[in-house]
Amino acid sequence: MQCLSATRTSTFPTFLIPGLCPPKSSKVPSLPFSTTAQRLKRDKSRNRGVSAIHATGLRRRQTLHVKKEDLPTPVLDRTKHSKIQIDPDHGLWQFFNDKRSALTSPDEDHAHGRAWTVEELRHKSWEDLHRLWWVCVKERNRLATEAYERRRLNAGYGDYESQERERTIKFTQRAIKHTLTERWYAWDAARQVAVEEGLDLSGNGPVWTPQNFEEDDAESEEIIEEPEERQTDAVGEETLKEVPPEADSTQHRPQPAATG
Amino acid sequence: MSRLAPFRIGRKQVYLPNFTLTLLRTPHLPPTFASFITPLNTNKLDIRDYLFHVYGVTCVRVRSYIQQQRVRGGKRRKWYRPRATKRMTVQMDKPFVWPEEPTDFEPWSKETFDAAHEEQRKAREQSRPMADLKDSTDRKTLAEQAEQLLSGKEKWRPQWQADGRVSRSAGLFRNPESRPHVRM
């Protein structure tokens, strides 16, 4: 109040009055210049500095709800592991022999017959040949698996017998391809004859329209009749699946058998 | 295979494949894993479809890697690198464990096999150059004998005397009829 009266007397500018009166308390309510939040001295995380990756271990006086002594110990010995239930029809059993043992003895590997001959396979249908091929493939896979395991175990002899068996299988496979190649050439020859005879192989409309009936054509008709059925559905890759008419008529359809 | 595959099947039809797949024993892997040696040109989708259609094994995941082989040869031979091998590990829907290893290797004649290999190894070492100069048991005994002779502990005698024969050629041929005819 005193100040106010003084200013009035000495024409002191009124806006400077607060500066003349010092504040009673020295603490000025103010904000820090930085706008970031102040750091706490200690954060609330109880697991600060505990890392499983760096294997730091626990902090001092850190307690867990599990004691270290109660933790289960891993069983590293494989013989003590619990037995795993394997499906008896698991597909990978086909990589093993009939006894389902890891290795076949040389005597058992050696007990096999000869390969299929081309003459025998000429009487088989494509389905039979295809099945026989896959039997061969699986047998070769088994032999490869056992040869690798035999070498790994350093088991002893048996390479020769295994190789001989595989050689026999390869001869069978070669005979299959030979038979199929023969069939393809037979089919191709029939196709050429059909083209020469002027048959319509485009697939649109009838393949053959009879025009003149003469007794002389009776022989040629029989030859041409068969390929025309084949022509309608044989395309590209499917050619191998086709069976020439000669083989079709004489086939017996027996079950395919392994080379052994 | 008539059952439905839980994945999309490839459309490439292979009728007569001509490669082999080798199943490996992998005790370090979980039982749902199986490892194979495959040809280099097969890919993961191929192996998944192959196992499904041929063996009826459903794969969940496939991993693959190519193992480069070490360089071999050298020392008067040409350097060469064997072809790399491709290995694929598949994760199956059903577990599978290999049958146990055989303990008795009698059917494979392991004893004969090992003995033959040992003999071959010895013969190979003997055929190497300077093989006779290398340390052997003969050298040791020869050195002992020479030392005894030089020190005078033993006196040298020809072998026929050491054997206790009357003359040099006596008793060499037990059967006198088998003696070679010598022209006088």
Side-chain angles (χ1 to χ4, degrees):
Chain A
M1 291 301 118
Q2 214 174 355
C3 293
L4 276 175
S5 61
T7 50
R8 278 193 185 162
T9 51
S10 61
T11 64
F12 195 76
T14 48
F15 64 89
L16 286 176
I17 292 169
L20 289 175
C21 302
K24 284 175 182 172
S25 61
S26 62
K27 268 195 175 179
V28 182
S30 64
L31 286 169
F33 182 73
S34 172
T35 54
T36 50
Q38 256 188 338
R39 279 172 74 190
L40 291 167
K41 279 181 184 172
R42 183 192 169 86
D43 66 356
K44 297 288 171 62
S45 172
R46 306 181 96 192
N47 295 327
R48 178 69 57 202
V50 178
S51 166
I53 298 169
H54 299 295
T56 53
L58 300 178
R59 270 188 291 106
R60 242 184 288 160
R61 292 190 299 282
Q62 183 176 15
T63 52
L64 298 172
H65 63 284
V66 190
K67 281 182 187 170
K68 197 179 171 186
E69 290 76 26
D70 298 341
L71 287 174
T73 49
V75 183
L76 297 176
D77 188 5
R78 283 204 193 92
T79 56
K80 289 175 185 168
H81 284 185
S82 56
K83 211 173 182 188
I84 294 149
Q85 292 294 322
I86 313 170
D87 184 8
D89 299 328
H90 199 287
L92 289 190
W93 280 121
Q94 296 170 58
F95 276 93
F96 298 92
N97 53 20
D98 294 340
K99 293 182 196 165
R100 300 193 167 181
S101 57
L103 280 184
T104 311
S105 69
D107 291 341
E108 287 164 339
D109 261 349
H110 184 64
H112 64 86
R114 59 168 175 79
W116 285 76
T117 59
V118 180
E119 173 49 34
E120 287 162 350
L121 294 178
R122 278 190 192 120
H123 306 288
K124 305 286 180 190
S125 65
W126 155 251
E127 279 74 26
D128 286 344
L129 293 181
H130 200 196
R131 216 171 291 151
L132 179 59
W133 181 275
W134 279 104
V135 169
C136 293
V137 165
K138 284 188 182 178
E139 184 73 0
R140 280 179 67 189
N141 285 350
R142 179 185 79 79
L143 289 174
T145 302
E146 285 188 1
Y148 192 88
E149 180 74 359
R150 200 184 313 114
R151 219 162 294 138
R152 189 187 71 81
L153 287 171
N154 200 10
Y157 292 105
D159 266 351
Y160 172 77
E161 286 79 3
S162 171
Q163 282 163 11
E164 280 300 302
R165 199 181 176 91
E166 186 165 15
R167 207 161 144 259
T168 314
I169 297 166
K170 279 182 174 175
F171 278 134
T172 299
Q173 287 184 312
R174 189 196 285 179
I176 292 172
K177 283 205 168 177
H178 188 124
T179 313
L180 292 173
T181 313
E182 271 184 7
R183 276 182 202 180
W184 189 85
Y185 277 114
W187 170 81
D188 195 49
R191 190 187 58 82
Q192 279 179 9
V193 169
V195 169
E196 283 165 13
E197 290 292 324
L199 298 186
D200 181 20
L201 299 179
S202 64
N204 306 321
V207 177
W208 178 58
T209 329
Q211 291 168 351
N212 300 321
F213 288 101
E214 290 177 20
E215 298 217 341
D216 295 347
D217 289 348
E219 283 181 8
S220 58
E221 268 175 33
E222 281 176 13
I223 302 168
I224 298 163
E225 246 180 60
E226 286 164 344
E228 57 186 52
E229 293 167 13
R230 300 283 149 199
Q231 282 317 299
T232 50
D233 53 356
V235 180
E237 271 187 281
E238 303 288 316
T239 50
L240 274 186
K241 294 172 77 175
E242 291 300 313
V243 184
E246 303 91 74
D248 256 344
S249 55
T250 55
Q251 63 187 340
H252 319 117
R253 296 235 174 198
Q255 285 299 312
T259 52
Chain B
M1 190 78 43
S2 57
R3 64 205 177 83
L4 203 66
F7 47 82
R8 211 166 140 189
I9 292 170
R11 285 178 296 171
K12 183 173 70 182
Q13 287 187 321
V14 182
Y15 284 94
L16 306 171
N18 194 18
F19 62 86
T20 55
L21 219 60
T22 307
L23 178 64
L24 303 178
R25 185 192 281 275
T26 46
H28 57 280
L29 291 180
T32 45
F33 283 70
S35 198
F36 300 92
I37 294 178
T38 67
L40 281 171
N41 57 356
T42 51
N43 60 29
K44 295 180 180 180
L45 306 178
D46 286 342
I47 225 70
R48 190 184 62 177
D49 282 18
Y50 184 93
L51 286 176
F52 180 76
H53 287 117
V54 182
Y55 287 97
V57 173
T58 311
C59 301
V60 185
R61 275 185 186 79
V62 186
R63 298 121 198 242
S64 81
Y65 71 95
I66 292 175
Q67 177 83 56
Q68 195 180 31
Q69 302 295 303
R70 279 174 172 273
V71 176
R72 292 185 198 165
K75 275 197 182 176
R76 296 184 213 150
R77 260 187 277 167
K78 233 180 180 181
W79 288 104
Y80 74 103
R81 193 186 286 281
R83 166 135 334 173
T85 57
K86 190 169 199 171
R87 291 177 188 230
M88 289 206 186
T89 306
V90 301
Q91 189 180 351
M92 304 172 291
D93 57 345
K94 288 181 200 162
F96 182 80
V97 180
W98 264 63
E100 300 227 336
E101 293 173 3
T103 48
D104 178 26
F105 289 102
E106 179 54 35
W108 294 270
S109 315
K110 186 175 169 60
E111 282 185 17
T112 320
F113 181 80
D114 288 346
H117 270 244
E118 182 62 20
E119 281 299 313
Q120 284 167 15
R121 191 188 61 76
K122 279 182 187 167
R124 222 178 301 129
E125 277 191 4
Q126 280 298 315
S127 68
R128 276 181 188 163
M130 319 276 277
D132 49 341
L133 293 183
K134 279 184 184 167
D135 242 327
S136 66
T137 50
D138 294 354
R139 278 176 72 83
K140 280 183 189 169
T141 51
L142 277 173
E144 283 172 11
Q145 285 179 23
E147 200 178 338
Q148 282 187 341
L149 281 174
L150 286 172
S151 60
K153 283 179 187 170
E154 271 192 22
K155 202 189 169 191
W156 182 82
R157 284 189 302 169
Q159 189 63 44
W160 63 273
Q161 283 181 8
D163 289 349
R165 276 179 285 167
V166 186
S167 70
R168 222 177 140 185
S169 59
L172 270 181
F173 303 99
R174 282 178 192 167
N175 188 4
E177 284 178 9
S178 70
R179 285 178 77 168
H181 295 283
V182 183
R183 197 186 283 171
M184 302 300 284

